[in-house]
Amino acid sequence: MSGREGGKKKPLKAPKKQNKEMDDEDVAFKQKQKEEQKAMEALKAKASGKGPLTSGGIKKSGKK
């Protein structure tokens, strides 16, 4: 190894994937995934406004 070699090496460029034709099942699956992701984003936004879920329980003191 020479002094100039180091760090992460760039990967070789992969050949471009050919666009395959999507049938109705693929289109429906993609649409379903988008809808599920939107629902998850909405739930995350709703949950982020609240505090931590585990607020109760046994609290330990630093003393022994």
Side-chain angles (χ1 to χ4, degrees):
M1 287 196 296
S2 67
R4 292 178 55 145
E5 288 183 29
K8 199 171 186 181
K9 295 188 177 179
K10 291 184 180 179
L12 295 174
K13 287 189 177 181
K16 290 186 178 181
K17 295 179 183 176
Q18 294 178 356
N19 289 339
K20 63 174 184 172
E21 294 144 18
M22 289 202 261
D23 23 344
D24 294 335
E25 291 178 14
D26 289 338
V27 173
F29 180 70
K30 292 261 186 191
Q31 184 69 24
K32 185 178 174 186
Q33 276 188 327
K34 281 185 183 180
E35 288 174 7
E36 286 178 1
Q37 189 168 2
K38 283 182 184 178
M40 287 297 289
E41 300 264 335
L43 288 175
K44 281 183 187 177
K46 187 176 180 183
S48 66
K50 298 180 181 176
L53 295 174
T54 56
S55 58
I58 300 171
K59 304 226 176 183
K60 295 182 181 178
S61 65
K63 300 178 184 176
K64 288 189 176 180

